[in-house]
Amino acid sequence: MKLRNILIGAALSATALTGCNFGDQNVDPWTSNDLDLKHVFTYTQSKMFTSGHEGFRGNLIMAGPMAQNTACLYSTGIGFGTNDGYTEATWSNIYGNVLKNIEDAKGKLVKQGGHDYMIGQFNVVKVVNMLRLTELYGDIPYAQAGLGYENLTFYPKYDAQKDVLNMMVDDLLDSRAKIEGANDTDISNYDMYDADISRKAQYQKLINSLLIKIGVMMSEADPSRGAEIFKMGYNNTHGYITDWSETSYVRHVEAGGPWGQHVNGSGIAVEGQVGGMSYAYISEVALKFMQNHHDPRLFRVASHFDYSGGVNKAVMNTALYHDFDPFAVAGDEGEFKKVHYRGVRLGDNGDGNRGLFWRNSGDVAQQAAYWMDQNAQVGDEYAFAQEGQFITLTGLNPATFNRLTPSIIIGADEVAFLIAEASLIPTYGVNDAQAFRRGVELALAKYDAVNFPGADFESSFVELYKSQKDPSYSQEQNKTQYVNDAVSRYNAAADKRDVVITEHWIALMGNGYKSFALVTRTGGPSFIPEVIPTNERNYNLPSYDIDPVIDNDAAKVGTHQVVKHRGGVTDFVRPKRFPYPNRELNVNASNVEEAITRQRGNVGAATHFIAIPQWYSKK
């Protein structure tokens, strides 16, 4: 079935399937049973990825910055704060728009009979959606959620996260059996989950990979049970995802415009087309890690912003650059260096998170520019084509992360990293010595293998680097070298699991949901602090009497301390979860309070709820 026809059907479905919170979704008399189920199916597959409103908030503002491989100058996430307008969006999108329609569709299929495999497919989509919710929020409604119109349970109970994960396993095993019983020709191509293998094999490998993920997800809280679940996927005869041809992903198109049902929601937010500039940057800690390890992905994932015309784009004109070097690292604290790529520090105060140096003449900090020629005119020495390119923040590249970027359900690189991690946990009884190498190789191959945009940008800036800095540079040779260096670090490390987690973390750049879950579960990478140390809450900017951007001979005369991080609501503790939506606290109060009390345990009310570890978190 051609993608165009699927999209038309999904668009028609969207006009009837959108909803909001539990109360709204359960009293609406227009149910998915009134619509063609194949349209409902594709709608529920894609909706978690296509909301610009939600992607802007849940991914770019909150999850990614808290995980610290990206940053955002909407400082709620990076500042460890709360804002219901940002954190409820993911909840409302999945419960209001997806889950109700899955349960309604399953009910109709049960009544019709003879469609067990399709019930299995719907359950896979349910698990994919609900995994995101429990990774972000902790305990969530699962058993009773989405069933209100059928059985009048309008405000469902919250299930403990351990129980949620076990119910997901039951659903996946049931789905695997149902799909196993189908002929390959029975399973329709009317499906938004794309892959380059047969549909039956695709779902079998996807299910097994999700079992591997849930199994490793339990490694901190219940490694014995986690090992059992891991082996359910790892040892199954149908196999798991091992390369990009087997990977399920959603392709996106421009049909319907920025607020439509088919664009990549986070990507359209990076482009600034769903509520203005999103200020989505790369964090300093992630950028410096990539630069220090000569990561070839810098040519694909990083760029400067061009915000002319009200659309956020990558600066594509290589003629503007001189002495271009993406691997040159910005100065340490108390030091200013003119470099092309600089990230955003962990902090919620502008002088601290993006200050470059202190101007003694004006008693003010010089901050990095948000985008090309911000507050500069062509011909000024601060213009981008002159010295401005050395003081402009490094963005999450809109040439690569945009409305057309594919949404990966679970990547081949993720599965390899999970297996590499499991190989280091004795309880799991697996010893795949090559899994880590495969994970790094697959992570570097991802952007071309799954047809991410940005290939032209990458090749242009590789050529720019060669022409202006290193004529002998080879992108392919650097990829090989990066893999070999990563394996060498792994072999030499006392804590090999931290090396695996770090490479997994950097490979997830742009997907804040998954990177947040990885950091929350493992506490790694080890260089991301659990609690911001006292000596990292302020920042010492180098101070100058003469402008060092314009005068290369300007000498530092001292330092000036500015506030970097103010502690948020957690007293400098990195958040472990999103708070529950305010509306849930009002209309489903007893069930929410029961869940909060259960998750707090013996931790007193003085500790903000978002600082309480989840069940699956490293304690």
Side-chain angles (χ1 to χ4, degrees), residues 171-241:
D171 281 342
L172 289 172
L173 293 176
D174 182 66
S175 296
R176 191 168 70 184
K178 285 179 165 60
I179 291 169
E180 171 65 22
N183 295 319
D184 199 50
T185 54
D186 291 337
I187 301 178
S188 172
N189 286 330
Y190 206 95
D191 195 316
M192 290 295 287
Y193 287 0
D194 215 344
D196 294 331
I197 55 177
S198 73
R199 290 292 176 191
K200 183 172 180 178
Q202 175 191 356
Y203 274 91
Q204 289 168 327
K205 291 180 185 296
L206 175 57
I207 289 168
N208 289 335
S209 300
L210 289 169
L211 289 167
I212 286 171
K213 179 174 182 175
I214 293 171
V216 178
M217 189 175 169
M218 287 186 169
S219 60
E220 296 291 341
D222 189 350
S224 178
R225 175 59 175 158
E228 291 178 15
I229 296 167
F230 175 89
K231 291 172 185 175
M232 293 174 188
Y234 186 74
N235 293 330
N236 184 261
T237 56
H238 298 297
Y240 48 82
I241 295 167

Side-chain angles (χ1 to χ4, degrees), residues 11 67 111 138 236 280 373 387 425 440 447 487 511 565 569 593:
K111 292 175 184 177
N236 184 261
D373 289 333
E387 302 307 299
I425 306 172
V440 180
Y447 299 102
V487 172
N511 191 320
H565 205 293
V569 300
E593 288 302 324

Side-chain angles (χ1 to χ4, degrees), residues 398-410:
T400 299
F401 301 99
N402 58 42
R403 67 188 71 193
L404 300 181
T405 301
S407 295
I408 297 171
I409 312 305
I410 179 169

